[in-house]
């Protein structure tokens, strides 16, 4: 019930936007920009989140080039050194530089979560759009399957999938994608379903467009704004999930630098007081998740001001 | 009342197709094992003969639909297969470890509800105040905190730096004896036995992992309570109640809170999904001897029967918890089952 109400309010806001659109198209664009500026001024945290996102992307692309040490190079002469000027985040039990490892790990963590979210976005959108447009048995079957997936505690299902498919990074991505598909499929299904008999859909049908074309170019784009919010919130969750899986020893193998596995390795030294091994990768993980969550909230404010909480 | 009775029965009946779906997915996962399941289940020391023997024993030489029927039959007898690493039936292992997990999960949920619900209510009644800001900060930080990281940091602060909590190894320090087994919940068993020293020992071990889990579940509950209270407080019936001159306490708890409780209880279903997953991580961090750490150990040594049994058990538990939540609805909301189908 809640979902229907919120998507109806989405529909209303979309209609308001299109109603403003035809009159002065140029002005509505600058209006959107002004709204963006307004949102950023109203909630500077969103601006900070976008800036942090930029830093994360920078670290992911250029990280391996700018780090001071080789993340895999061991050094027996400086083992378990606390943070110092030479080693900003200290060194681990093999003398590897924690700072370099944390920065280099950004790429792998982002790649895993982005790939997983992209996969579930594509598959979920396709399934949801077809089910929402065709209705009937397709719809019922899809809903049953999604209900069944959601009947599992999702992290546990991911563990089961990785156990069944085999312990590799690719399978971590597939497992994370599978548990995320229901969120996208349901969102798209609802958005498509309320528009399948809308005026513009009927008009497009009358002018001789094929069903696939109507679905892809007329209906689906309307679902994109709420999808973007979902993607951003989902990315944070996907990173947490992937790091959790590698924390329990699935997917990424040592000595590959990855935040989850670094916290797991650091946890062995925490009882003897070497805090820097676990703190810095854990903190980076937390900051990445926080960035995506704040960005998702900010995007929601921009896309749909009504749903602010 | 009769209508409510039937709707409760309908809700229970609705859980059956979901359970069937869960079993199908679990069956598919078992058969999707990399390589040959017979080789996996026969263990590492298997010879070609024993592999064939296992294949026949597991019924893997039969067509898939027949295998599924056999699988269903085994499930109904409570046979989840043998654990390769320990040689004991998976069901026995899970059953003996389940109380530890439940004790941890339930105390964490209780703790987080005790903190999150009042926090959300306070934040909603005073929007913009410092308590609202704290609530917002906690909610944003809470969802971003990786549970395993929180756990490790809590160990560092409270065990290494302050030395107030015992070493994070299991449910009870080795200086205590396990309380006599009644429910499997150490806190309840020790209390029943009247052994308060053991009770405190168990409590001390429990606090850190429970707080770790609670911090994780705090955010969604507090967020939902705040949002639900805000929308309840701005509704017409509250305005009417105020206009009619009801006391503020009665309005807040008798009317607004009771209506706000519904979305909060719905959120609990989602929180259970998170908490059962996070449980696995927390159990690993604190060496908690529950079903989560059992599954992690099994995963590492590729003990697939154990992992599949664990996944299935967790799914059943989750479906059951959701059923309980939906039934709790009918207690909170008298309209349940009378409107719609």
């Amino acid at each position: 019930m809640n979902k229907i109400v919120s998507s109806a309010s989405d529909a209303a806001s979309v209609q308001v936007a299109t109603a403003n659109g035809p009159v002065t198209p140029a002005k509505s664009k600058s209006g959107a920009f002004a709204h963006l500026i307004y949102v950023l001024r109203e909630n500077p945290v969103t601006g900070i989140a976008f800036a942090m996102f930029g830093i994360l992307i920078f670290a992911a692309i250029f990280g391996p080039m700018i780090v001071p040490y080789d993340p895999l190079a061991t050094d027996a002469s400086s083992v378990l050194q606390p943070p110092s000027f030479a080693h900003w985040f200290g060194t681990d039990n093999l003398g590897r530089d924690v700072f370099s490892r944390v920065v280099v790990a950004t790429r792998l963590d982002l790649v895993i979560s982005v790939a997983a979210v992209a996969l579930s976005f594509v598959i979920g959108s396709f399934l949801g759009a077809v089910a929402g447009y065709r209705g009937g048995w397709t719809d019922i079957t899809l809903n049953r399957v999604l209900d069944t997936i959601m009947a599992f505690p999702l992290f546990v299902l991911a563990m089961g999938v990785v156990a069944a498919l085999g312990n590799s990074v690719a399978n971590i991505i597939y497992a994370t994608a599978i548990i995320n598909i229901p969120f996208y499929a349901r969102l798209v299904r609802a958005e498509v379903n309320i528009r399948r008999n809308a005026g513009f859909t009927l008009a497009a049908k009358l002018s001789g467009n094929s069903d696939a074309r109507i679905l892809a170019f007329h209906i689906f784009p309307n679902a994109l704004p709420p999808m973007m919010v979902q993607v951003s919130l989902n990315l944070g969750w996907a990173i947490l999930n992937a790091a959790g899986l590698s924390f329990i020893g699935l997917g990424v193998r040592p000595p590959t630098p990855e935040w989850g596995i670094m916290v797991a390795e650091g946890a062995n030294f925490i009882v003897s007081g070497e805090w820097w091994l676990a703190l810095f990768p854990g903190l980076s993980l937390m900051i990445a998740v926080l960035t995506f969550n704040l960005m998702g909230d900010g995007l929601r404010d921009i896309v749909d001001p009504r749903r602010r909480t | 009342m009769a209508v409510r009775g039937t709707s409760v029965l309908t809700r229970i009946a609705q859980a059956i197709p979901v359970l069937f779906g869960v079993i199908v997915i679990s069956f598919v996962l078992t058969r999707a094992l990399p390589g040959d399941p017979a080789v996996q289940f026969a263990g590492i020391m298997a010879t070609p003969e024993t592999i064939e023997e296992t294949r026949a024993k597991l019924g893997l030489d039969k067509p898939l639909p027949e295998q599924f029927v056999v699988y269903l039959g085994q499930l109904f007898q409570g046979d989840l297969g043998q654990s390769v690493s320990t040689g004991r039936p998976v069901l026995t292992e899970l059953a003996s470890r389940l109380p530890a997990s439940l004790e941890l999960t339930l105390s964490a949920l209780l703790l987080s509800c005790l903190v999150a619900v009042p926090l959300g209510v306070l934040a909603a009644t005073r929007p913009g105040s410092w308590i609202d800001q704290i609530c917002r900060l906690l909610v944003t930080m809470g969802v971003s905190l990786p549970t395993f990281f929180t756990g490790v940091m809590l160990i560092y602060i409270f065990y290494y730096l302050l030395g107030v909590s015992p070493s994070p190894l299991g449910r009870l320090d080795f200086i205590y004896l396990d309380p006599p087994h009644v429910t499997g919940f150490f806190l309840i068993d020790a209390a029943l036995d009247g052994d308060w020293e053991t009770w405190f020992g168990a409590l001390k071990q429990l606090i850190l992992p429970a707080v770790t889990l609670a911090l994780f579940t705090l955010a969604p509950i507090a967020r939902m309570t705040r949002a639900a209270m805000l929308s309840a407080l701005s509704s017409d019936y509250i305005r009417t109640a105020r206009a009619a001159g009801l006391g503020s306490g009665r309005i807040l708890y008798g009317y607004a809170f009771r209506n706000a409780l519904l979305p909060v209880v719905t959120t609990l279903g989602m929180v259970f999904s998170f908490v059962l997953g996070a449980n696995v991580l927390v159990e690993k961090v604190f060496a908690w001897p529950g079903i989560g750490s059992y599954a992690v150990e099994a995963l590492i040594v590729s003990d697939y029967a154990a992992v599949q049994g664990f996944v299935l058990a967790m799914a059943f538990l989750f479906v059951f918890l959701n059923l309980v939540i939906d039934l709790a609805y009918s207690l909170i909301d008298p309209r349940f089952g009378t409107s719609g189908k």
Side-chain angles (χ1 to χ4, degrees):
Chain A
M1 191 59 208
N2 223 345
K3 202 162 234 170
I4 298 169
V5 171
S6 65
S7 21
S9 80
D10 268 3
S13 66
V14 167
Q15 255 150 35
V16 168
T18 46
N20 287 338
V23 190
T24 43
K27 201 155 197 179
S28 98
K29 195 151 206 176
S30 75
F33 188 68
H35 179 60
L36 185 80
I37 297 291
Y38 168 75
V39 168
L40 285 183
R41 189 174 300 157
E42 193 71 351
N43 191 358
V45 176
T46 308
I48 298 174
F50 277 103
M52 291 202 301
F53 180 62
I55 296 175
L56 279 179
I57 296 291
F58 180 81
I61 297 175
F62 300 107
M65 289 172 231
I66 55 165
V67 289
Y69 299 89
D70 178 353
L72 298 178
T74 56
D75 179 4
S77 63
S78 60
V79 170
L80 290 174
Q81 298 284 316
S84 63
F85 192 71
H87 297 280
W88 292 354
F89 290 176
T91 59
D92 68 5
N93 54 322
L94 296 174
R96 296 173 296 194
D97 181 48
V98 177
F99 175 71
S100 304
R101 288 173 67 76
V102 166
V103 172
V104 170
T106 316
R107 183 185 287 179
L108 183 58
D109 276 275
L110 283 192
V111 163
I112 292 179
S113 54
V114 168
V117 168
L119 256 183
S120 44
F121 180 90
V122 172
I123 299 173
S125 304
F126 179 77
L127 292 177
V130 171
Y133 192 68
R134 301 195 55 175
W137 275 107
T138 327
D139 197 17
I140 294 173
T141 316
L142 179 80
N143 268 324
R144 280 279 164 272
V145 174
L146 295 183
D147 280 349
T148 313
I149 294 182
M150 300 288 281
F152 284 89
L154 294 177
F155 185 77
V156 173
L157 180 62
M159 282 171 66
V161 171
V162 175
L165 296 180
N167 191 349
S168 72
V169 175
N171 289 335
I172 293 258
I173 295 177
Y174 297 141
T176 313
I178 288 174
I179 61 174
N180 275 320
I181 285 175
F183 298 104
Y184 292 97
R186 283 189 171 167
L187 189 65
V188 174
R189 187 202 155 272
E191 296 286 325
V192 168
N193 201 33
I194 52 169
R195 292 187 180 87
R196 61 193 272 219
N197 289 323
F200 69 90
T201 315
L202 297 178
K205 249 184 208 166
L206 271 179
S207 12
N209 290 294
S210 70
D211 278 350
R213 194 181 158 79
I214 293 174
L215 195 51
F217 295 109
H218 294 258
I219 302 183
F220 183 66
N222 285 302
L224 279 177
M227 294 283 279
M228 284 303 122
V229 176
Q230 180 71 25
V231 163
S232 183
L233 293 174
N234 226 206
L235 271 172
W237 196 62
I239 291 194
L240 266 189
N241 202 70
L245 286 175
S246 65
F247 178 80
I248 59 175
L250 291 179
V252 187
R253 311 278 172 95
T256 316
E258 193 274 342
W259 294 332
I261 209 166
M262 287 174 74
V263 175
E265 287 169 350
N268 300 327
F269 295 93
I270 208 83
V271 283
S272 48
E274 280 95 9
W275 49 272
W276 55 93
L277 291 188
L279 178 77
F280 293 110
L283 223 49
S284 323
L285 183 58
M286 201 187 108
I287 289 172
V289 180
L290 191 66
T291 303
F292 288 121
N293 284 341
L294 290 177
M295 230 167 63
D297 288 344
L299 280 177
R300 178 166 47 206
D301 292 354
I302 296 170
V303 169
D304 180 9
R306 253 171 271 220
R307 256 194 283 172
R308 291 180 77 159
T309 48
Chain B
M1 209 53 214
V3 178
R4 197 191 279 189
T6 15
S7 68
V8 166
L9 281 183
T10 322
R11 180 61 191 84
I12 294 176
Q14 276 168 359
I16 292 172
V18 177
L19 280 184
F20 185 74
V22 164
I23 293 174
V24 171
I25 289 192
S26 155
F27 174 74
V28 171
L29 284 181
T30 327
R31 292 305 177 266
L33 293 179
D36 189 350
V39 179
Q40 304 285 358
F41 281 99
I44 309 157
M45 305 291 284
T47 58
E49 294 86 62
T50 52
I51 289 176
E52 279 313 307
E53 210 174 277
T54 325
R55 194 187 305 280
K57 203 175 87 192
L58 293 170
L60 289 170
D61 46 355
K62 300 190 181 99
L64 272 182
E66 203 183 325
Q67 285 188 35
F68 183 66
V69 175
V70 174
Y71 180 74
L72 269 183
Q74 285 170 342
L75 276 187
F76 275 111
Q77 290 162 13
D79 178 10
L80 292 173
Q82 297 269 333
S83 161
V84 180
S85 48
T86 59
R88 291 172 62 195
V90 172
L91 191 74
T92 331
E93 293 263 0
L94 287 177
S96 69
R97 282 162 166 263
L98 188 63
S101 293
L102 280 183
E103 184 173 39
L104 174 60
T105 312
L106 293 180
S107 36
L109 268 182
L110 191 71
L111 189 67
S112 88
C113 281
L114 282 181
V115 176
V117 172
L119 189 70
V121 170
L122 279 176
T125 47
R126 298 171 185 76
S129 68
W130 60 270
I131 200 148
D132 192 19
Q133 302 298 339
I134 288 181
C135 178
R136 175 170 297 176
L137 187 75
L138 259 180
V139 163
T140 321
M141 299 303 276
V143 286
S144 314
L145 272 176
T147 23
F148 50 91
F149 175 59
T150 332
V152 168
M153 281 301 125
L154 286 180
I155 291 176
Y156 178 68
I157 296 170
F158 290 98
Y159 170 69
Y160 181 78
L161 283 186
L162 303 178
V164 286
S165 73
S167 64
L169 293 168
R171 300 176 78 184
L172 207 49
D173 212 347
F174 60 89
I175 54 169
Y176 302 106
L177 289 173
D178 285 7
H181 185 94
V182 185
T183 56
F185 287 48
F186 277 9
L187 285 184
I188 298 179
D189 286 356
L192 285 178
D193 195 36
D195 182 357
W196 295 107
E197 207 174 320
T198 312
W199 192 84
F200 274 112
L203 184 69
K204 270 190 187 163
Q205 296 286 134
L206 183 65
I207 285 178
L208 275 195
V211 166
T212 310
L213 261 187
L215 276 177
F216 184 64
T217 52
L218 202 70
I221 301 177
R223 183 181 201 148
M224 204 60 217
T225 313
R226 180 176 171 277
M229 272 309 269
L230 274 179
S231 82
L233 283 173
S234 63
S235 61
D236 287 346
Y237 56 84
I238 294 297
R239 195 190 51 193
T240 313
R242 286 214 175 100
L246 289 181
S248 62
R250 196 176 157 83
I251 290 175
L252 198 58
Y253 297 106
Y255 292 86
F257 183 65
R258 197 152 172 217
N259 278 287
L261 214 53
L262 281 175
V264 175
V265 171
T266 317
T267 321
L268 271 186
M270 191 192 68
V271 169
F272 272 131
S273 169
F274 287 159
V275 93
L276 290 178
N279 203 21
V280 178
L281 299 171
V282 173
E283 280 184 14
K284 166 133 167 51
V285 172
F286 290 92
W288 195 260
I291 57 175
S293 55
Y294 171 64
V296 171
E297 283 158 27
L299 264 177
I300 302 303
V301 296
S302 304
D303 185 353
Y304 292 104
V307 179
Q308 306 301 354
F310 162 75
V311 172
L312 197 62
M314 285 297 238
F316 270 60
L317 187 65
F318 185 46
V319 171
F320 173 73
L321 287 173
N322 270 323
L323 192 64
V324 171
I325 285 178
D326 278 8
L327 296 181
Y329 245 81
S330 68
L331 290 180
I332 302 169
D333 187 359
R335 289 167 302 182
F336 175 83
T338 52
S339 64
K341 52 183 170 99

